[in-house]
Amino acid sequence: MTDSRIAKAPLGTGGPEVGVQGLGCMGMSFAYGPTDAEEARATLERALELGVTHYDTADAYGQGENERFLAPFFAAHRDEVVIATKFAMTIPPDEPTRRIIRNDGPYIRQAVEASLKRLDVDVIDLYYMHRRDVNVPIEETVGVMAELVREGKVKQLGLSEVTGGELRAAQAVHPIAAVQSEWSLFSRDIEAGVVPAARELGVTLVPYSPLGRGFLTGSFTDADKDLTAGDFRRQQPRYTGDNAAANAGLLESIRGVAEAHGASVGQIALAWVHRQAAVHGLPVVPIPGTRRRTRVEENTAATRIALTEADLGVLDAIADKVAGNRYADMTFVSAGRE
């Protein structure tokens, strides 16, 4: 176990520096089955000790429960952390596979006030549009978000799962600090349009699910067989049935690289994501999610693994072989609109 603090990276042009790896907090109280609240709280503290300062949540995670869960930790460390949360998506509790998306002004104003209250803060450091409602012009949505900045309720703006064109249109209204999209050895669709746009505009890329929701760590091989009934991953095509079996075979290539570095499979997957900052020439701050101290120690240690060109040759070949989409309905993500 190491106590070395991770390096830092900028969050948008002129924004604060944060730990080069953040923490996705969704699973601490939502989506991934039963959790140990005490261990999750200890994980938050351990992450901060290791230099993780960027903490990610959303109002959709447990209908605000995830924000409430994090509030005491944020209150104890308000000057040390960057709080990111999101609006735009509602998941009806009686229809867990359904997504209701809203980007209109009245909804945004209602959402930000509710998040401020649940988080028990005066200002949100980074406020994301969680998903895009194509029926509302993005310029209109970002215009309302910009008003929140001027009113002192939000410091910086972010967008999640937007296309390169949508990012450029948003940036013309107000500076965007970060774009959050899935990016991993298994999910590389954003490299075609989103990554070049972010680089051009000085926007930080915040990859979510950089460990393939745990699949890239080898922690499960078939969601239907290995995970509890309420686990969100059972809804994702690439982690079930024949797709899961095919994708599990792809981990062998990663294991070979991991053995050469004396690292875990998950650490190599994360090291690959961190390497993309140099490959593409922009800040990259992944937010692997975990609720265990041992995992956050393992994940942050991955920031110090230097992959070789030979390693990259092996790892870069994986994405084209992945079976199944990352969501059953891809219209909600940028790849469905590019």
Side-chain angles (χ1 to χ4, degrees):
M1 185 174 71
T2 178
D3 287 318
S4 299
R5 290 174 66 84
I6 59 176
K8 294 182 179 181
L11 195 59
T13 302
E17 284 201 327
V18 295
V20 74
Q21 187 179 111
L23 183 62
C25 300
M26 179 180 77
M28 291 183 170
S29 64
F30 175 72
Y32 290 165
T35 187
D36 180 335
E38 183 177 347
E39 176 63 18
R41 283 189 283 269
T43 299
L44 293 168
E45 297 286 351
R46 182 64 178 139
L48 187 59
E49 290 173 357
L50 292 167
V52 175
T53 56
H54 175 201
Y55 294 79
D56 184 89
T57 182
D59 62 0
Y61 302 158
Q63 295 186 306
E65 187 54 38
N66 197 244
E67 291 177 323
R68 293 187 191 95
F69 175 81
L70 295 168
F73 171 74
F74 292 151
H77 302 285
R78 187 64 188 97
D79 295 336
E80 303 170 78
V81 300
V82 169
I83 300 171
T85 192
K86 315 176 194 75
F87 73 89
M89 185 164 67
T90 302
I91 304 172
D94 56 342
E95 298 180 82
T97 62
R98 186 183 175 204
R99 303 290 183 267
I100 300 171
I101 310 299
R102 288 185 62 180
N103 290 174
D104 57 284
Y107 177 83
I108 295 169
R109 289 194 165 278
Q110 174 187 350
V112 74
E113 295 296 342
S115 284
L116 286 166
K117 183 176 180 179
R118 286 189 294 263
L119 291 164
D120 193 22
V121 295
D122 296 324
V123 60
I124 295 165
D125 299 312
L126 176 60
Y127 199 43
Y128 285 101
M129 181 188 77
H130 202 165
R131 290 293 186 269
R132 170 101 162 87
D133 177 358
V134 296
N135 297 309
V136 179
I138 196 163
E139 295 87 348
E140 179 181 319
T141 300
V142 176
V144 176
M145 295 171 71
E147 291 174 3
L148 302 181
V149 175
R150 290 191 288 272
E151 293 166 10
K153 296 175 181 178
V154 170
K155 290 183 180 179
Q156 290 185 291
L157 302 184
L159 304 171
S160 181
E161 290 290 0
V162 292
T163 67
E166 290 165 349
L167 174 57
R168 289 188 174 92
Q171 181 80 6
V173 176
H174 189 277
I176 302 299
V179 166
Q180 186 175 134
S181 288
E182 187 165 354
W183 198 8
S184 72
L185 285 170
F186 272 18
S187 299
R188 299 184 58 180
D189 48 79
I190 66 168
E191 293 173 26
V194 181
V195 171
R199 179 179 62 241
E200 170 192 325
L201 300 171
V203 176
T204 297
L205 240 298
V206 178
Y208 71 83
S209 298
L211 292 170
R213 301 189 184 276
F215 194 87
L216 284 166
T217 70
S219 63
F220 73 99
T221 56
D222 186 311
D224 284 336
K225 295 177 181 178
D226 301 336
L227 304 178
T228 58
D231 196 299
F232 167 72
R233 290 167 289 187
R234 296 180 65 167
Q235 303 172 25
Q236 297 185 292
R238 65 176 46 160
Y239 304 133
T240 59
D242 291 342
N243 289 341
N247 293 334
L250 299 177
L251 300 184
E252 288 305 312
S253 296
I254 310 174
R255 286 193 182 96
V257 176
E259 289 173 5
H261 285 271
S264 70
V265 172
Q267 284 179 316
I268 295 302
L270 270 177
W272 181 89
V273 175
H274 282 289
R275 179 62 179 263
Q276 301 316 297
V279 171
H280 294 279
L282 79 169
V284 176
V285 181
I287 50 170
T290 186
R291 47 199 180 186
R292 288 188 289 166
R293 283 167 285 181
T294 54
R295 282 295 192 191
V296 82
E297 289 162 0
E298 178 182 335
N299 291 347
T300 53
T303 65
R304 295 181 286 277
I305 295 175
L307 298 174
T308 67
E309 291 301 320
D311 295 334
L312 292 177
V314 172
L315 298 172
D316 286 344
I318 291 173
D320 289 340
K321 302 173 185 177
V322 174
N325 285 328
R326 49 194 178 102
Y327 291 101
D329 184 353
M330 290 291 285
T331 62
F332 290 114
V333 298
S334 61
R337 302 193 302 276
E338 286 281 14

